[in-house]
Coordinates of all heavy atoms in Angstrom, one line a residue:
M1 N -31.5 -8.0 -34.1 CA -30.1 -8.1 -34.6 C -29.6 -9.5 -34.3 O -30.0 -10.2 -33.4 CB -29.2 -7.0 -33.9 CG -27.9 -6.9 -34.5 SD -26.9 -5.5 -34.0 CE -27.9 -4.4 -33.0
A2 N -28.6 -9.9 -35.0 CA -28.0 -11.2 -34.9 C -27.3 -11.3 -33.5 O -26.9 -10.4 -33.0 CB -27.0 -11.5 -36.0
E3 N -27.2 -12.6 -33.0 CA -26.5 -12.8 -31.8 C -25.1 -12.5 -31.9 O -24.5 -11.9 -31.0 CB -26.7 -14.3 -31.4 CG -26.2 -14.5 -30.0 CD -26.6 -15.9 -29.5 OE1 -27.8 -16.3 -29.7 OE2 -25.7 -16.6 -29.0
S4 N -24.4 -12.9 -33.0 CA -23.1 -12.5 -33.3 C -23.0 -11.9 -34.6 O -23.7 -12.2 -35.6 CB -22.2 -13.8 -33.3 OG -22.1 -14.3 -32.0
I5 N -22.1 -10.9 -34.8 CA -22.0 -10.2 -36.0 C -20.6 -10.5 -36.5 O -19.6 -10.5 -35.8 CB -22.1 -8.6 -35.8 CG1 -23.4 -8.3 -35.2 CG2 -21.9 -7.9 -37.1 CD1 -23.5 -6.9 -34.7
Y6 N -20.5 -10.9 -37.8 CA -19.3 -11.3 -38.4 C -18.8 -10.4 -39.5 O -19.6 -9.8 -40.3 CB -19.4 -12.8 -38.9 CG -19.5 -13.8 -37.8 CD1 -20.7 -14.2 -37.4 CD2 -18.4 -14.2 -37.1 CE1 -20.8 -15.1 -36.3 CE2 -18.5 -15.1 -36.1 CZ -19.7 -15.5 -35.7 OH -19.8 -16.4 -34.6
Q7 N -17.5 -10.3 -39.7 CA -16.9 -9.6 -40.7 C -17.5 -10.0 -42.1 O -17.6 -11.2 -42.4 CB -15.4 -9.9 -40.7 CG -14.5 -9.1 -41.6 CD -13.1 -9.4 -41.5 OE1 -12.7 -10.4 -40.7 NE2 -12.2 -8.7 -42.1
G8 N -17.9 -9.0 -42.9 CA -18.5 -9.3 -44.2 C -20.0 -9.5 -44.2 O -20.5 -9.7 -45.3
D9 N -20.6 -9.5 -43.0 CA -22.1 -9.8 -43.0 C -22.8 -8.7 -43.9 O -22.5 -7.5 -43.8 CB -22.6 -9.7 -41.6 CG -22.4 -11.0 -40.8 OD1 -21.9 -11.9 -41.3 OD2 -22.8 -11.0 -39.6
V10 N -23.7 -9.2 -44.7 CA -24.5 -8.3 -45.6 C -26.0 -8.7 -45.2 O -26.3 -9.8 -45.0 CB -24.2 -8.6 -47.1 CG1 -25.2 -7.8 -47.9 CG2 -22.8 -8.2 -47.4
G11 N -26.8 -7.7 -45.2 CA -28.3 -7.9 -44.9 C -28.6 -7.9 -43.4 O -29.7 -8.2 -43.0
L12 N -27.6 -7.5 -42.6 CA -27.8 -7.4 -41.2 C -28.6 -6.1 -40.8 O -28.2 -5.0 -41.2 CB -26.5 -7.4 -40.4 CG -26.5 -7.2 -38.9 CD1 -27.0 -8.5 -38.3 CD2 -25.2 -6.8 -38.4
E13 N -29.8 -6.3 -40.2 CA -30.6 -5.2 -39.8 C -30.0 -4.6 -38.5 O -29.9 -5.3 -37.5 CB -32.0 -5.6 -39.5 CG -32.9 -4.4 -39.1 CD -34.3 -4.9 -38.8 OE1 -34.5 -5.8 -38.0 OE2 -35.2 -4.2 -39.4
I14 N -29.7 -3.3 -38.5 CA -29.2 -2.6 -37.3 C -30.3 -1.6 -36.9 O -30.8 -0.8 -37.7 CB -27.9 -1.8 -37.6 CG1 -26.8 -2.8 -38.0 CG2 -27.5 -1.0 -36.4 CD1 -25.5 -2.2 -38.5
L15 N -30.8 -1.7 -35.7 CA -31.8 -0.8 -35.1 C -31.2 -0.1 -34.0 O -30.7 -0.7 -33.1 CB -33.0 -1.6 -34.6 CG -33.9 -2.2 -35.7 CD1 -35.0 -3.1 -35.0 CD2 -34.7 -1.2 -36.4
V16 N -31.3 1.2 -34.0 CA -30.8 2.1 -32.9 C -31.9 2.8 -32.3 O -32.7 3.5 -32.9 CB -29.7 3.1 -33.5 CG1 -29.3 4.0 -32.4 CG2 -28.6 2.4 -34.1
D17 N -32.1 2.6 -31.0 CA -33.2 3.2 -30.2 C -32.8 4.6 -29.9 O -31.8 4.9 -29.2 CB -33.4 2.4 -28.9 CG -34.6 2.8 -28.1 OD1 -35.2 3.9 -28.5 OD2 -35.0 2.2 -27.2
C18 N -33.6 5.6 -30.3 CA -33.4 7.0 -30.1 C -34.0 7.5 -28.8 O -33.8 8.6 -28.4 CB -33.8 7.8 -31.2 SG -32.9 7.5 -32.8
G19 N -34.8 6.6 -28.1 CA -35.3 7.0 -26.8 C -36.5 7.9 -26.8 O -37.0 8.2 -25.7
R20 N -37.0 8.2 -28.0 CA -38.2 9.1 -28.1 C -38.8 9.0 -29.5 O -38.1 8.4 -30.4 CB -37.9 10.5 -27.7 CG -36.9 11.2 -28.7 CD -36.7 12.6 -28.5 NE -37.9 13.3 -29.0 CZ -38.0 14.6 -29.1 NH1 -37.0 15.4 -28.7 NH2 -39.1 15.2 -29.6
D21 N -40.0 9.5 -29.7 CA -40.6 9.5 -31.0 C -39.9 10.4 -31.9 O -39.7 11.6 -31.6 CB -42.1 9.9 -30.8 CG -42.9 9.6 -32.1 OD1 -42.3 9.8 -33.2 OD2 -44.0 9.3 -32.0
I22 N -39.4 9.9 -33.0 CA -38.7 10.7 -34.0 C -39.4 10.7 -35.4 O -38.8 11.0 -36.4 CB -37.2 10.2 -34.2 CG1 -37.2 8.7 -34.6 CG2 -36.4 10.4 -32.9 CD1 -35.8 8.2 -35.0
A23 N -40.7 10.5 -35.3 CA -41.5 10.6 -36.6 C -41.3 12.0 -37.2 O -41.3 13.0 -36.5 CB -43.0 10.3 -36.3
G24 N -41.1 12.0 -38.5 CA -40.9 13.3 -39.1 C -39.4 13.8 -39.1 O -39.1 14.9 -39.5
A25 N -38.5 13.0 -38.6 CA -37.1 13.4 -38.5 C -36.6 13.5 -39.9 O -36.9 12.8 -40.8 CB -36.3 12.3 -37.8
G26 N -35.7 14.5 -40.1 CA -35.0 14.7 -41.4 C -33.6 14.2 -41.4 O -33.0 14.1 -40.3
A27 N -33.1 13.8 -42.5 CA -31.8 13.3 -42.7 C -31.3 12.2 -41.7 O -30.2 12.3 -41.2 CB -30.8 14.5 -42.7
P28 N -32.2 11.2 -41.5 CA -31.8 10.1 -40.5 C -30.6 9.3 -41.1 O -30.6 9.0 -42.2 CB -33.1 9.3 -40.4 CG -33.8 9.5 -41.7 CD -33.5 10.9 -42.1
A29 N -29.7 9.1 -40.2 CA -28.5 8.3 -40.6 C -27.8 7.8 -39.4 O -28.1 8.2 -38.2 CB -27.5 9.3 -41.3
L30 N -26.9 6.8 -39.6 CA -26.1 6.3 -38.6 C -24.7 6.8 -38.9 O -24.2 6.5 -40.0 CB -26.1 4.8 -38.5 CG -27.5 4.1 -38.2 CD1 -27.3 2.6 -38.1 CD2 -28.0 4.7 -36.9
V31 N -24.0 7.4 -38.0 CA -22.6 7.9 -38.1 C -21.8 6.8 -37.5 O -22.0 6.4 -36.3 CB -22.4 9.2 -37.5 CG1 -20.9 9.6 -37.6 CG2 -23.3 10.3 -38.1
V32 N -20.9 6.2 -38.2 CA -20.2 5.0 -37.8 C -18.7 5.2 -37.9 O -18.2 5.7 -38.9 CB -20.5 3.8 -38.7 CG1 -19.8 2.6 -38.3 CG2 -22.0 3.6 -38.7
R33 N -18.0 4.9 -36.8 CA -16.5 4.9 -36.8 C -16.1 3.5 -36.9 O -16.3 2.7 -36.0 CB -15.9 5.6 -35.6 CG -14.4 5.6 -35.7 CD -13.6 6.2 -34.6 NE -14.1 7.6 -34.4 CZ -13.9 8.3 -33.3 NH1 -13.3 7.7 -32.2 NH2 -14.3 9.5 -33.2
T34 N -15.3 3.1 -37.9 CA -14.9 1.7 -38.1 C -13.7 1.4 -37.2 O -13.1 2.4 -36.6 CB -14.5 1.5 -39.5 OG1 -13.3 2.3 -39.8 CG2 -15.6 1.8 -40.5
P35 N -13.3 0.2 -37.0 CA -12.2 -0.1 -36.2 C -10.9 0.6 -36.6 O -10.1 0.9 -35.7 CB -12.0 -1.7 -36.3 CG -13.4 -2.1 -36.6 CD -14.0 -1.0 -37.5
S36 N -10.7 0.9 -37.8 CA -9.5 1.6 -38.3 C -9.6 3.1 -38.1 O -8.6 3.8 -38.4 CB -9.2 1.2 -39.7 OG -10.2 1.7 -40.6
G37 N -10.8 3.6 -37.7 CA -10.9 5.0 -37.5 C -11.6 5.8 -38.5 O -11.9 7.0 -38.4
T38 N -11.9 5.2 -39.7 CA -12.7 5.8 -40.7 C -14.1 6.1 -40.3 O -14.7 5.3 -39.7 CB -12.7 4.9 -42.0 OG1 -11.4 4.6 -42.4 CG2 -13.5 5.6 -43.1
V39 N -14.6 7.3 -40.6 CA -16.0 7.7 -40.2 C -16.8 7.6 -41.5 O -16.5 8.2 -42.5 CB -16.0 9.1 -39.5 CG1 -17.5 9.5 -39.3 CG2 -15.2 9.1 -38.3
R40 N -17.9 6.9 -41.3 CA -18.9 6.8 -42.5 C -20.3 7.2 -42.0 O -20.6 7.2 -40.8 CB -18.9 5.3 -42.9 CG -17.6 4.9 -43.5 CD -17.8 3.6 -44.2 NE -16.5 3.2 -44.8 CZ -15.9 2.0 -44.7 NH1 -16.5 1.1 -44.0 NH2 -14.8 1.8 -45.3
R41 N -21.1 7.6 -43.0 CA -22.5 7.9 -42.7 C -23.4 7.0 -43.5 O -23.3 7.0 -44.7 CB -22.7 9.4 -43.1 CG -24.0 9.9 -42.7 CD -24.1 11.4 -43.0 NE -25.3 12.0 -42.5 CZ -25.3 12.6 -41.3 NH1 -24.3 12.6 -40.5 NH2 -26.5 13.1 -40.8
W42 N -24.1 6.1 -42.8 CA -25.0 5.2 -43.4 C -26.4 5.8 -43.4 O -26.9 6.1 -42.3 CB -25.0 3.8 -42.6 CG -23.7 3.1 -42.7 CD1 -22.7 3.3 -43.5 CD2 -23.3 2.0 -41.8 NE1 -21.7 2.3 -43.3 CE2 -22.0 1.6 -42.2 CE3 -23.9 1.4 -40.8 CZ2 -21.4 0.5 -41.6 CZ3 -23.3 0.3 -40.1 CH2 -22.0 -0.1 -40.5
P43 N -27.1 5.9 -44.5 CA -28.4 6.5 -44.5 C -29.4 5.5 -43.9 O -29.4 4.3 -44.1 CB -28.7 6.6 -46.0 CG -27.8 5.6 -46.7 CD -26.6 5.5 -45.8
A44 N -30.2 6.0 -43.0 CA -31.1 5.2 -42.2 C -32.6 5.6 -42.5 O -32.8 6.7 -43.1 CB -30.8 5.3 -40.7
T45 N -33.5 4.8 -42.0 CA -34.9 5.2 -42.1 C -35.4 5.1 -40.6 O -34.9 4.5 -39.8 CB -35.7 4.2 -42.9 OG1 -35.5 2.9 -42.4 CG2 -35.3 4.2 -44.4
V46 N -36.5 5.9 -40.4 CA -37.2 5.9 -39.1 C -38.0 4.6 -39.1 O -38.8 4.3 -40.0 CB -38.1 7.1 -38.9 CG1 -38.9 7.0 -37.6 CG2 -37.2 8.4 -38.9
A47 N -37.9 3.9 -38.0 CA -38.6 2.6 -37.9 C -39.6 2.6 -36.7 O -39.2 3.2 -35.6 CB -37.6 1.4 -37.7
V48 N -40.7 2.0 -36.9 CA -41.7 1.9 -35.8 C -41.4 0.6 -35.1 O -41.5 -0.5 -35.7 CB -43.2 1.9 -36.3 CG1 -44.1 1.7 -35.2 CG2 -43.4 3.3 -37.0
V49 N -41.1 0.6 -33.8 CA -40.9 -0.6 -33.0 C -42.0 -0.5 -31.9 O -42.0 0.5 -31.1 CB -39.5 -0.7 -32.4 CG1 -39.4 -1.9 -31.5 CG2 -38.5 -0.8 -33.6
G50 N -42.8 -1.5 -31.7 CA -43.9 -1.4 -30.8 C -44.9 -0.4 -31.4 O -45.4 -0.6 -32.5
Q51 N -45.2 0.6 -30.7 CA -46.1 1.6 -31.2 C -45.5 3.0 -31.4 O -46.2 4.0 -31.6 CB -47.4 1.7 -30.3 CG -48.1 0.4 -30.2 CD -49.5 0.5 -29.7 OE1 -50.1 1.6 -29.7 NE2 -50.1 -0.6 -29.3
S52 N -44.2 3.1 -31.3 CA -43.5 4.3 -31.4 C -42.5 4.3 -32.5 O -41.7 3.4 -32.7 CB -42.9 4.6 -30.1 OG -42.1 5.8 -30.2
A53 N -42.4 5.4 -33.3 CA -41.4 5.6 -34.3 C -40.1 6.1 -33.6 O -39.8 7.3 -33.7 CB -41.9 6.6 -35.4
S54 N -39.5 5.3 -32.9 CA -38.4 5.7 -32.0 C -37.0 5.1 -32.4 O -36.0 5.3 -31.6 CB -38.7 5.3 -30.6 OG -38.8 3.9 -30.5
H55 N -36.9 4.4 -33.5 CA -35.7 3.8 -33.9 C -35.2 4.2 -35.3 O -36.0 4.6 -36.1 CB -35.8 2.3 -33.9 CG -36.0 1.6 -32.6 ND1 -37.1 1.9 -31.7 CD2 -35.2 0.8 -31.9 CE1 -36.9 1.2 -30.6 NE2 -35.8 0.5 -30.7
L56 N -33.9 4.2 -35.5 CA -33.4 4.3 -36.8 C -33.0 2.9 -37.3 O -32.4 2.1 -36.5 CB -32.1 5.2 -36.9 CG -32.4 6.7 -36.6 CD1 -31.1 7.5 -36.8 CD2 -33.4 7.2 -37.6
R57 N -33.2 2.6 -38.6 CA -33.0 1.3 -39.1 C -32.0 1.4 -40.3 O -32.2 2.3 -41.2 CB -34.3 0.7 -39.6 CG -34.1 -0.7 -40.3 CD -35.5 -1.2 -40.7 NE -35.4 -2.5 -41.3 CZ -35.2 -2.8 -42.6 NH1 -35.1 -1.8 -43.5 NH2 -35.1 -4.0 -43.0
Y58 N -31.0 0.5 -40.3 CA -30.1 0.4 -41.5 C -29.9 -1.0 -41.7 O -29.7 -1.8 -40.8 CB -28.8 1.2 -41.2 CG -27.8 1.0 -42.3 CD1 -28.0 1.8 -43.5 CD2 -26.8 0.2 -42.3 CE1 -27.1 1.6 -44.6 CE2 -25.9 0.0 -43.3 CZ -26.1 0.8 -44.5 OH -25.2 0.6 -45.5
V59 N -29.8 -1.4 -43.0 CA -29.4 -2.8 -43.3 C -28.1 -2.8 -44.0 O -27.9 -2.0 -45.0 CB -30.5 -3.4 -44.3 CG1 -30.1 -4.8 -44.7 CG2 -31.9 -3.4 -43.6
T60 N -27.1 -3.6 -43.5 CA -25.8 -3.5 -44.0 C -25.7 -4.0 -45.5 O -26.4 -4.9 -45.9 CB -24.8 -4.4 -43.2 OG1 -25.2 -5.7 -43.1 CG2 -24.7 -3.8 -41.8
G61 N -24.8 -3.4 -46.2 CA -24.5 -3.8 -47.6 C -23.1 -4.3 -47.7 O -22.3 -4.3 -46.8
P62 N -22.7 -4.7 -48.9 CA -21.3 -5.1 -49.2 C -20.3 -4.0 -48.8 O -20.4 -2.9 -49.1 CB -21.3 -5.3 -50.7 CG -22.7 -5.6 -51.1 CD -23.5 -4.7 -50.2
G63 N -19.3 -4.5 -48.0 CA -18.2 -3.6 -47.6 C -18.5 -2.8 -46.3 O -17.6 -2.2 -45.7
D64 N -19.7 -2.8 -45.8 CA -20.0 -2.0 -44.6 C -19.3 -2.6 -43.4 O -18.8 -1.8 -42.5 CB -21.5 -2.0 -44.3 CG -22.3 -1.1 -45.2 OD1 -21.7 -0.2 -45.8 OD2 -23.5 -1.3 -45.3
L65 N -19.2 -3.9 -43.3 CA -18.6 -4.6 -42.1 C -17.3 -5.3 -42.6 O -17.1 -6.5 -42.3 CB -19.5 -5.5 -41.4 CG -20.8 -4.9 -40.9 CD1 -21.8 -5.9 -40.3 CD2 -20.5 -3.8 -39.9
A66 N -16.5 -4.6 -43.3 CA -15.3 -5.2 -43.9 C -14.2 -5.5 -42.9 O -13.3 -6.4 -43.1 CB -14.7 -4.3 -45.0
E67 N -14.2 -4.8 -41.8 CA -13.2 -5.0 -40.7 C -13.7 -5.7 -39.5 O -14.9 -5.5 -39.2 CB -12.7 -3.6 -40.3 CG -12.1 -2.7 -41.4 CD -11.7 -1.4 -40.8 OE1 -11.0 -1.3 -39.8 OE2 -12.2 -0.4 -41.4
A68 N -12.9 -6.5 -38.9 CA -13.3 -7.0 -37.6 C -12.9 -6.0 -36.5 O -12.0 -5.3 -36.7 CB -12.6 -8.4 -37.3
G69 N -13.7 -6.0 -35.4 CA -13.4 -5.1 -34.3 C -14.6 -4.3 -33.9 O -15.7 -4.5 -34.4
P70 N -14.4 -3.3 -33.0 CA -15.5 -2.5 -32.5 C -15.9 -1.4 -33.5 O -15.0 -0.6 -33.9 CB -15.0 -1.9 -31.2 CG -13.5 -1.9 -31.3 CD -13.2 -3.1 -32.2
Y71 N -17.1 -1.3 -33.8 CA -17.7 -0.2 -34.6 C -18.4 0.7 -33.7 O -19.3 0.2 -33.0 CB -18.6 -0.7 -35.7 CG -18.0 -1.3 -36.9 CD1 -17.3 -2.5 -36.7 CD2 -18.0 -0.8 -38.1 CE1 -16.7 -3.2 -37.8 CE2 -17.4 -1.4 -39.2 CZ -16.8 -2.6 -39.1 OH -16.2 -3.2 -40.2
K72 N -18.1 2.0 -33.6 CA -18.9 2.9 -32.8 C -20.0 3.6 -33.7 O -19.7 4.0 -34.8 CB -18.0 4.0 -32.2 CG -17.0 3.4 -31.2 CD -16.1 4.4 -30.5 CE -15.2 3.7 -29.5 NZ -14.4 4.7 -28.8
V73 N -21.2 3.6 -33.1 CA -22.4 4.0 -33.9 C -23.1 5.1 -33.2 O -23.4 4.9 -32.0 CB -23.3 2.8 -34.2 CG1 -24.5 3.2 -35.0 CG2 -22.5 1.7 -34.9
Q74 N -23.5 6.1 -33.9 CA -24.4 7.2 -33.3 C -25.5 7.5 -34.2 O -25.3 7.5 -35.5 CB -23.6 8.5 -33.1 CG -22.6 8.4 -32.0 CD -22.0 9.8 -31.8 OE1 -21.4 10.3 -32.7 NE2 -22.0 10.3 -30.6
A75 N -26.7 7.6 -33.7 CA -27.9 8.1 -34.5 C -27.7 9.5 -34.8 O -27.2 10.3 -33.9 CB -29.2 7.9 -33.7
A76 N -28.0 9.9 -36.0 CA -27.9 11.4 -36.4 C -29.2 11.7 -37.1 O -29.7 11.0 -38.0 CB -26.7 11.6 -37.3
L77 N -29.7 12.9 -36.8 CA -31.0 13.3 -37.5 C -31.3 14.8 -37.1 O -30.6 15.4 -36.3 CB -32.2 12.4 -37.0 CG -32.4 12.3 -35.5 CD1 -33.4 13.3 -35.1 CD2 -32.9 10.9 -35.2
T78 N -32.3 15.3 -37.8 CA -32.8 16.6 -37.5 C -34.3 16.5 -37.1 O -35.0 15.7 -37.8 CB -32.7 17.5 -38.8 OG1 -31.3 17.6 -39.2 CG2 -33.3 18.9 -38.6
L79 N -34.6 17.1 -36.1 CA -36.0 17.1 -35.6 C -36.4 18.5 -35.2 O -35.9 19.0 -34.2 CB -36.1 16.1 -34.4 CG -37.5 15.6 -34.0 CD1 -38.3 15.0 -35.2 CD2 -37.5 14.7 -32.9
G80 N -37.3 19.1 -35.9 CA -37.7 20.4 -35.7 C -36.5 21.3 -35.9 O -35.8 21.3 -36.9
D81 N -36.2 22.2 -34.9 CA -35.0 23.0 -35.0 C -33.8 22.4 -34.3 O -32.7 23.1 -34.2 CB -35.3 24.4 -34.4 CG -35.7 24.4 -32.9 OD1 -35.7 23.3 -32.3 OD2 -35.9 25.4 -32.3
W82 N -33.8 21.2 -33.9 CA -32.7 20.4 -33.3 C -32.0 19.6 -34.4 O -32.7 18.9 -35.2 CB -33.2 19.6 -32.2 CG -32.0 18.8 -31.5 CD1 -31.2 19.3 -30.5 CD2 -31.5 17.5 -31.8 NE1 -30.3 18.3 -30.2 CE2 -30.4 17.2 -31.0 CE3 -31.9 16.5 -32.7 CZ2 -29.7 16.0 -31.0 CZ3 -31.2 15.4 -32.8 CH2 -30.1 15.1 -31.9
S83 N -30.7 19.5 -34.4 CA -30.0 18.7 -35.3 C -28.8 18.2 -34.5 O -28.1 18.9 -33.8 CB -29.5 19.5 -36.5 OG -28.7 18.6 -37.3
G84 N -28.5 16.9 -34.5 CA -27.4 16.3 -33.8 C -27.3 14.8 -33.8 O -27.9 14.2 -34.6
T85 N -26.5 14.3 -32.8 CA -26.3 12.9 -32.7 C -26.7 12.4 -31.3 O -26.8 13.2 -30.4 CB -24.8 12.5 -33.0 OG1 -24.0 13.2 -32.1 CG2 -24.4 12.8 -34.4
G86 N -26.9 11.1 -31.2 CA -27.3 10.5 -29.9 C -26.1 9.8 -29.3 O -24.9 10.0 -29.7
K87 N -26.4 9.0 -28.3 CA -25.4 8.3 -27.5 C -24.7 7.3 -28.4 O -25.2 6.9 -29.4 CB -26.0 7.5 -26.4 CG -26.6 8.4 -25.3 CD -27.2 7.5 -24.2 CE -27.8 8.4 -23.1 NZ -28.4 7.6 -22.0
T88 N -23.4 7.0 -28.0 CA -22.6 6.1 -28.8 C -22.9 4.7 -28.4 O -22.9 4.3 -27.2 CB -21.1 6.4 -28.6 OG1 -20.9 7.7 -29.0 CG2 -20.3 5.5 -29.4
A89 N -23.2 3.8 -29.4 CA -23.3 2.4 -29.2 C -22.1 1.7 -29.8 O -21.5 2.3 -30.7 CB -24.6 1.9 -29.8
V90 N -21.9 0.5 -29.4 CA -20.7 -0.2 -30.0 C -21.2 -1.6 -30.5 O -21.9 -2.3 -29.8 CB -19.6 -0.5 -28.9 CG1 -18.5 -1.3 -29.5 CG2 -19.1 0.9 -28.4
L91 N -20.9 -1.8 -31.8 CA -21.1 -3.2 -32.4 C -19.8 -3.8 -32.5 O -18.8 -3.3 -33.0 CB -21.6 -3.0 -33.8 CG -23.0 -2.3 -34.0 CD1 -23.2 -2.2 -35.5 CD2 -24.1 -3.1 -33.4
V92 N -19.7 -5.0 -32.0 CA -18.4 -5.8 -32.1 C -18.6 -6.8 -33.2 O -19.4 -7.6 -33.2 CB -18.1 -6.5 -30.7 CG1 -16.8 -7.3 -30.9 CG2 -17.9 -5.5 -29.6
V93 N -17.7 -6.6 -34.2 CA -17.7 -7.5 -35.4 C -16.6 -8.5 -35.2 O -15.4 -8.1 -35.1 CB -17.6 -6.6 -36.7 CG1 -17.5 -7.5 -37.9 CG2 -18.7 -5.6 -36.8
R94 N -17.0 -9.7 -35.3 CA -16.0 -10.8 -35.1 C -15.4 -11.2 -36.4 O -16.0 -11.1 -37.4 CB -16.7 -12.0 -34.5 CG -17.3 -11.7 -33.1 CD -18.2 -12.8 -32.6 NE -17.3 -14.0 -32.5 CZ -17.2 -14.8 -31.5 NH1 -18.0 -14.6 -30.5 NH2 -16.5 -15.9 -31.5
P95 N -14.1 -11.7 -36.3 CA -13.5 -12.2 -37.6 C -14.2 -13.4 -38.1 O -14.8 -14.1 -37.3 CB -12.1 -12.6 -37.1 CG -11.9 -11.9 -35.8 CD -13.2 -11.7 -35.2
K96 N -14.2 -13.6 -39.3 CA -14.8 -14.9 -39.9 C -14.2 -16.1 -39.2 O -13.1 -16.1 -38.9 CB -14.6 -14.9 -41.4 CG -15.3 -13.9 -42.2 CD -15.0 -14.0 -43.7 CE -15.7 -12.9 -44.4 NZ -15.6 -13.1 -45.8
F97 N -15.1 -17.0 -39.0 CA -14.7 -18.3 -38.4 C -14.3 -18.3 -37.0 O -13.6 -19.2 -36.5 CB -13.6 -19.1 -39.2 CG -14.0 -19.2 -40.7 CD1 -13.4 -18.4 -41.7 CD2 -15.0 -20.1 -41.1 CE1 -13.7 -18.6 -43.0 CE2 -15.3 -20.2 -42.4 CZ -14.7 -19.5 -43.4
S98 N -14.6 -17.2 -36.3 CA -14.2 -17.1 -34.9 C -15.4 -17.6 -34.0 O -16.4 -17.7 -34.4 CB -13.8 -15.7 -34.5 OG -14.9 -14.8 -34.6

């Protein structure tokens, strides 16, 4: 991930470590609460980092990081008979030119 994240960034790879092998997970997504409180669901893919498929990957598109401020992010998926979300991570998006 980039050292600093700026408002409007497109093409930013976001990797969320799920802490265990999630190969075969269904409906992988990142559930995101924007600084204004809107909740969005970004479709993710399972990514292999090192030798384990333990991360969810999403690449930002136009409008995803439209606001400056803290974005709260949770991994969401189904694995076997379990379905739910992971721990909350925070991405701080800086205003342009800051």
Side-chain angles (χ1 to χ4, degrees):
M1 193 170 350
E3 188 173 311
S4 293
I5 303 169
Y6 290 96
Q7 185 177 9
D9 281 356
V10 172
L12 176 72
E13 179 183 54
I14 298 173
L15 288 172
V16 175
D17 186 352
C18 294
R20 61 172 288 188
D21 192 323
I22 57 169
L30 298 182
V31 179
V32 180
R33 182 181 301 161
T34 66
S36 64
T38 302
V39 176
R40 295 193 176 129
R41 188 173 189 91
W42 293 344
T45 57
V46 175
V48 175
V49 176
Q51 298 199 16
S52 177
S54 58
H55 289 67
L56 289 184
R57 177 182 185 269
Y58 178 76
V59 178
T60 60
D64 286 340
L65 301 176
E67 301 174 55
Y71 285 68
K72 294 184 178 181
V73 179
Q74 290 182 304
L77 55 94
T78 299
L79 194 59
D81 60 358
W82 180 87
S83 180
T85 56
K87 293 181 182 179
T88 302
V90 178
L91 299 175
V92 178
V93 176
R94 298 172 59 131
K96 291 181 180 185
F97 306 107
S98 63

